[in-house]
Amino acid sequence: MIKLAFTGNPNVGKSALINAIAGSKLKVGNWPGVTVEKKEATFIYKGEEIQLVDLPGVYSLSPYSLEEKITRDFILDENPDVVINVVDSTNLERNLYLTHLVKELEKPTIIALNLYDEFDKLKYKLDLKEFEKLMEIKAIPVSALKKTGITELMDSVLEIKNEERKNKFSLPFDKETSATIEEIAKNIQEDIEYNEVLETYSSEYLAIKIIEKDSHLIEKLKTRFNIELGKKFEKEIEKLETKYDNDSETVLAEQRYKKINKILSKTFKSSLKSRLEFTDKVDKVLLNKYLGLPLFFLIMFGGMDFVFSGSAPFVKWIGRFCSNFIGKYLGMLVEGTPDWINSLIIDGILGGVGGILVFTPMMAFLYFFLSILEESGYMSRVAFIMDKLMRKLGLNGKSFVPMIIGFGCTVPAIYSTRTMEDESSRKLTAAMTPFMSCSARLPVYGLFTAAFFGQKAGIIVASLYFLGIVIAVLVGLLLKNVKGFKSENKALLIELPPYRIPSLKVVLSSTWTKVFAYIKRAGSIILGIMMILWTLTYFPNNGDANNSYIAKFGHSFSPVMKPTGFGDRWETVAAIIPSMVAKEVVVGFLSQALPLEDSEDTGSEEEVKTSIGEDLIEQVKDLGIAVKKSVVGIVSLDMARFKMPTPEDIEEEGKGIIRATFNLWPNDKLGPLKAYSFMTFILLVVPCVTTLGAIKQEFGWNYLWKVVGIMLVIPYVTSTLIFQIGKLFV
């Protein structure tokens, strides 16, 4: 098998190029022991099995981020047969810095000049032969979008692989710096202590990393090879820094860029028709000191409207399909079985799988929207706009994106923390994000505000959204200096790529990969917990919720929850358990637990019998209607998804549920305060099992239990304070 490692800056189209080469979607997993995505694809080319590994997008190979460590260690330790350095051909100066760092690793390398179709449109010119000569690397113009240059690239891979030679590149440094590198390299070669090290790393590479004071390599020399570097070579480094009056790392970086500019001055010519000029003009508006933030919120507002208006009809259709079609015929299959088996299959298993599928359209639309922002080049600018504000929490601008997503759904918000540089920043952001009030909480707000607050419902709901933001900020301030959450407080170093029209194929491919990964990863966790919830609600009295284990839990913990105000009713205490499965479940649970007013059943008991074919046709028609409603919702910018449910909407959850909810505290002047305390608890408590699954997937069990602990303590303390202080004014 031939192993190819694809490396390059972010947003240069590595994943798209791999898809174009292999003709299949990437397999997504995680690198061992970390949460950074690992993407691979395998295919056959001219009788050779070829493995393509998509390394994380990086700007350098210094050990400042997890992605940089993974990329460098893979190339050095895994020893791929060929490194494909993917560069944005329309932005050569910035991209070729990484190319020089890859050269220093002395591995067989090919430059893939991606986006060459755009390069030609801009009327840029590159003397390819001279460029290859000066870079000492084969360079192939390619376009992942147009699928051009793919054959030439793969043929070059086979040629280099069959040459079986070790690359020896010239270094891009001046005479004095090169002399220092050679002096240190010679000392390393003569020191028998380094014999084992030199089997993996060249002496020149070790010398460069020692001059740069590379902490990752120095630590590896100590732990892996038992070499304590100490102050060895300190004189040589100080001499270099004194000569150039700068730190050694900057000295080498400046000389690399000097070499790049020299090569491009001899080989590259641009035209007046520059996409960068267009980008600069757009950025003057979108990154404007006064307009940048309002325009960002306007874009996000429109994006969230697209997500919820577009996905809502499909969410409802999947819910009906699972219950009316799958549930119907699955029910026929289990007919005659014991009641507990019937309930386990219908309520436990089908309910769990349905719970996963119902989320899928929302996830698909959200990932589609985020992919457009990413491919267009705007997402990196969001981090730039919000950087100043987020720094007060010890984070940088990238942390803001997950929080915005959290108002729609916490699950993709947790996954979106992957864009951040260090693990501590990710963890702090992930601890704050669940306090954003997601749309799943709205039915609970709607029920209790309709029952206790009437016309003031809108103000009450707005206050809950604001409260969630305040609590998230306070949690961030509290945790930012705690070990494990304390971020490295790095300056925001981010490329602002030129704007480009997103490729629909790339966007759809990215969306499908992420949605499929979501279903695969979160599915088993949700299904397992849903079955646990079914057990708690079904036993020991065969489906009688009022005498179930959950009801017993409510009675047992009512005294503990009494300081919150709503703890005097077991129903509200017991509702906390299903709320952690899914917030929407609270309304359905209360409709079962609370005594509802009787009403005559005016419906006919006779069922209309239909065949599976007729039912399937009906479901297809319903899907067509859902598609139409989705298109209309997107075009009309219908914000109904954001509106609080009306009393009529909530009544559909169960007859008389609003009146029954009011009867929790019917003649109690503290009733509204208790209701507000309960809504606060639902706002701040563990959001849902899907979110827990995402957190576990991203950060592991240890971190998950920390977050769960935080989201159990904070709602209890906050609800208690609200009730205890509030009753002084009632």
Side-chain angles (χ1 to χ4, degrees):
M1 177 185 288
I2 299 176
K3 184 186 294 184
L4 306 184
F6 283 70
T7 187
N9 291 172
N11 305 309
V12 297
K14 288 188 290 87
S15 299
L17 181 58
I18 291 176
N19 279 331
I21 293 171
S24 62
K25 295 179 176 61
L26 293 174
K27 294 180 180 178
V28 180
N30 277 8
W31 291 92
V34 297
T35 56
V36 177
E37 278 189 344
K38 181 179 184 181
K39 303 175 182 177
E40 296 178 310
T42 303
F43 80 117
I44 304 296
Y45 183 77
K46 293 187 176 180
E48 295 275 6
E49 184 179 7
I50 299 179
Q51 180 187 24
L52 313 176
V53 181
D54 185 4
L55 297 175
V58 294
Y59 297 104
S60 79
L61 297 179
S62 301
Y64 298 134
S65 73
L66 195 56
E67 288 80 2
E68 290 170 342
K69 292 176 186 176
I70 289 170
T71 298
R72 190 171 81 179
D73 287 348
F74 183 88
I75 295 174
L76 286 171
D77 299 338
E78 297 297 325
N79 201 28
D81 296 292
V82 181
V83 176
I84 307 293
N85 177 219
V86 184
V87 305
D88 179 352
S89 59
T90 67
N91 200 359
L92 288 173
E93 181 180 359
R94 185 155 44 200
N95 280 239
L96 290 179
Y97 182 78
L98 179 63
T99 306
H100 273 77
L101 296 178
V102 172
K103 279 179 62 177
E104 291 166 19
L105 300 180
E106 297 190 349
K107 301 293 182 183
T109 304
I110 297 175
I111 298 174
L113 296 166
N114 198 22
L115 304 170
Y116 216 76
D117 53 328
E118 293 188 24
F119 183 93
D120 288 335
K121 286 180 182 178
L122 293 170
K123 297 182 179 179
Y124 289 166
K125 300 294 181 182
L126 181 68
D127 185 339
L128 193 58
K129 288 186 177 180
E130 185 67 15
F131 178 77
E132 290 178 330
K133 178 182 176 182
L134 295 175
M135 287 296 298
E136 303 175 292
I137 302 176
K138 182 74 174 177
I140 307 295
V142 299
S143 170
L145 179 62
K146 303 291 186 181
K147 292 188 176 182
T148 56
I150 304 299
T151 301
E152 292 83 350
L153 179 63
M154 297 313 300
D155 286 343
S156 297
V157 167
L158 296 182
E159 288 175 14
I160 291 179
K161 173 62 173 61
N162 293 330
E163 285 177 5
E164 301 255 342
R165 64 178 177 84
K166 183 175 178 63
N167 286 266
K168 194 71 176 178
F169 298 112
S170 61
L171 298 176
F173 308 112
D174 62 22
K175 289 183 179 180
E176 291 81 0
T177 305
S178 296
T180 303
I181 293 171
E182 289 172 7
E183 182 180 352
I184 295 175
K186 183 179 179 182
N187 289 331
I188 290 173
Q189 290 170 356
E190 294 174 351
D191 191 339
I192 61 173
E193 188 179 27
Y194 286 87
N195 285 350
E196 185 182 353
V197 183
L198 292 174
E199 293 177 6
T200 303
Y201 311 110
S202 72
S203 57
E204 289 83 2
Y205 176 75
L206 287 172
I208 292 170
K209 294 297 111 181
I210 289 171
I211 291 173
E212 289 182 326
K213 303 172 186 177
D214 189 301
S215 59
H216 183 53
L217 182 72
I218 293 171
E219 180 64 22
K220 183 171 285 190
L221 288 175
K222 180 180 178 181
T223 57
R224 182 175 170 182
F225 301 101
N226 198 30
I227 297 176
E228 189 75 54
L229 202 60
K231 294 184 178 181
K232 195 174 184 180
F233 308 119
E234 193 174 84
K235 289 183 180 179
E236 290 88 343
I237 297 172
E238 286 181 357
K239 182 180 177 181
L240 193 66
E241 291 180 332
T242 301
K243 174 176 175 57
Y244 293 98
D245 192 25
N246 215 331
D247 66 271
S248 57
E249 185 176 9
T250 302
V251 170
L252 298 190
E254 287 179 346
Q255 291 186 21
R256 290 185 186 107
Y257 273 115
K258 186 177 180 180
K259 180 69 172 180
I260 291 168
N261 290 330
K262 186 177 180 180
I263 291 173
L264 292 179
S265 67
K266 294 180 178 180
T267 60
F268 173 72
K269 290 183 180 180
S270 63
S271 66
L272 295 176
K273 182 186 176 184
S274 173
R275 185 180 64 184
L276 296 178
E277 292 178 2
F278 170 77
T279 294
D280 289 339
K281 290 178 182 178
V282 175
D283 276 343
K284 285 180 180 179
V285 178
L286 292 182
L287 300 183
N288 182 273
K289 183 178 180 181
Y290 303 104
L291 295 177
L293 196 57
L295 287 173
F296 162 69
F297 282 115
L298 184 63
I299 291 171
M300 293 305 296
F301 179 86
M304 290 301 103
D305 171 66
F306 164 78
V307 170
F308 291 114
S309 296
S311 66
F314 294 108
V315 168
K316 292 178 181 178
W317 178 80
I318 290 177
R320 291 192 299 266
F321 182 79
C322 289
S323 60
N324 298 343
F325 185 77
I326 298 179
K328 175 181 176 180
Y329 290 99
L330 192 59
M332 291 180 181
L333 291 175
V334 299
E335 191 174 350
T337 61
D339 290 343
W340 72 269
I341 293 180
N342 190 300
S343 181
L344 171 63
I345 293 174
I346 300 299
D347 301 325
I349 298 176
L350 179 60
V353 174
I356 301 167
L357 295 178
V358 164
F359 275 98
T360 306
M362 186 186 300
M363 298 290 286
F365 274 80
L366 188 59
Y367 282 134
F368 183 85
F369 171 63
L370 293 177
S371 294
I372 289 177
L373 293 186
E374 188 70 39
E375 291 296 320
S376 67
Y378 182 70
M379 187 62 86
S380 56
R381 287 161 171 84
V382 172
F384 179 81
I385 292 169
M386 298 305 302
D387 184 60
K388 186 176 181 181
L389 177 64
M390 298 308 297
R391 285 207 163 276
K392 295 180 180 179
L393 297 176
L395 299 167
N396 64 36
K398 289 184 179 180
S399 301
F400 188 73
V401 176
M403 295 180 190
I404 288 293
I405 296 170
F407 282 114
C409 181
T410 313
V411 177
I414 295 297
Y415 285 133
S416 68
T417 61
R418 292 176 175 177
T419 61
M420 303 174 65
E421 292 91 345
D422 64 272
E423 192 73 0
S424 296
S425 294
R426 291 189 67 209
K427 288 181 175 179
L428 181 56
T429 304
M432 297 167 61
T433 298
F435 294 108
M436 303 294 107
S437 188
C438 70
S439 60
R441 294 170 168 100
L442 282 176
V444 183
Y445 301 161
L447 172 60
F448 278 82
T449 53
F452 290 97
F453 295 98
Q455 297 299 317
K456 297 179 182 178
I459 297 174
I460 297 299
V461 172
S463 73
L464 289 167
Y465 273 79
F466 180 73
L467 177 63
I469 297 171
V470 171
I471 295 297
V473 171
L474 292 176
V475 168
L477 291 172
L478 182 66
L479 294 179
K480 72 175 185 177
N481 294 316
V482 176
K483 185 178 179 181
F485 292 94
K486 186 177 181 180
S487 67
E488 299 177 22
N489 200 24
K490 296 176 182 174
L492 179 65
L493 179 61
I494 189 170
E495 179 186 4
L496 298 182
Y499 291 105
R500 59 171 60 96
I501 298 175
S503 162
L504 181 60
K505 183 177 181 179
V506 172
V507 169
L508 290 175
S509 176
S510 174
T511 300
W512 166 250
T513 300
K514 291 175 181 177
V515 170
F516 181 77
Y518 158 74
I519 295 172
K520 182 179 178 181
R521 291 169 181 171
S524 59
I525 295 174
I526 294 177
L527 182 58
I529 295 180
M530 286 294 292
M531 292 177 68
I532 293 173
L533 179 63
W534 170 83
T535 302
L536 294 174
T537 54
Y538 188 84
F539 294 106
N541 290 303
N542 300 328
D544 182 1
N546 291 315
N547 293 291
S548 64
Y549 289 123
I550 284 185
K552 291 179 180 180
F553 167 86
H555 284 298
S556 299
F557 278 86
S558 285
V560 178
M561 302 300 296
K562 213 159 192 179
T564 64
F566 66 83
D568 60 353
R569 293 299 301 250
W570 74 263
E571 295 93 340
T572 48
V573 174
I576 294 171
I577 293 296
S579 80
M580 295 182 191
V581 177
K583 290 295 178 283
E584 304 93 330
V585 177
V586 172
V587 174
F589 171 76
L590 290 176
S591 69
Q592 294 178 350
L594 295 174
L596 308 182
E597 296 180 0
D598 293 331
S599 61
E600 283 189 320
D601 184 8
T602 57
S604 171
E605 295 183 0
E606 183 180 353
E607 289 187 12
V608 178
K609 293 184 178 180
T610 54
S611 67
I612 187 171
E614 292 172 325
D615 284 343
L616 189 58
I617 291 172
E618 190 64 29
Q619 291 299 323
V620 172
K621 289 180 180 178
D622 284 348
L623 177 59
I625 294 172
V627 172
K628 182 179 179 181
K629 286 183 177 179
S630 176
V631 173
V632 172
I634 293 170
V635 173
S636 65
L637 295 177
D638 182 9
M639 295 303 295
R641 184 71 179 176
F642 289 104
K643 294 178 181 177
M644 186 182 62
T646 64
E648 290 75 17
D649 294 331
I650 294 169
E651 284 294 349
E652 294 180 3
E653 299 289 338
K655 289 183 177 296
I657 183 61
I658 294 177
R659 181 65 189 178
T661 301
F662 175 77
N663 284 337
L664 284 168
W665 305 287
N667 300 309
D668 189 346
K669 65 178 182 179
L670 295 177
L673 182 59
K674 292 178 180 180
Y676 192 85
S677 176
F678 177 72
M679 288 188 290
T680 298
F681 200 96
I682 295 299
L683 162 68
L684 302 177
V685 78
V686 179
C688 65
V689 295
T690 318
T691 299
L692 297 183
I695 292 174
K696 186 269 171 186
Q697 173 67 33
E698 294 297 290
F699 304 103
W701 286 109
N702 187 41
Y703 177 83
L704 173 62
W705 296 128
K706 290 179 182 178
V707 172
V708 169
I710 291 170
M711 298 201 74
L712 290 176
V713 172
I714 286 180
Y716 183 83
V717 172
T718 307
S719 291
T720 298
L721 289 174
I722 285 175
F723 179 72
Q724 297 298 331
I725 296 173
K727 70 179 183 180
L728 299 176
F729 300 94
V730 176

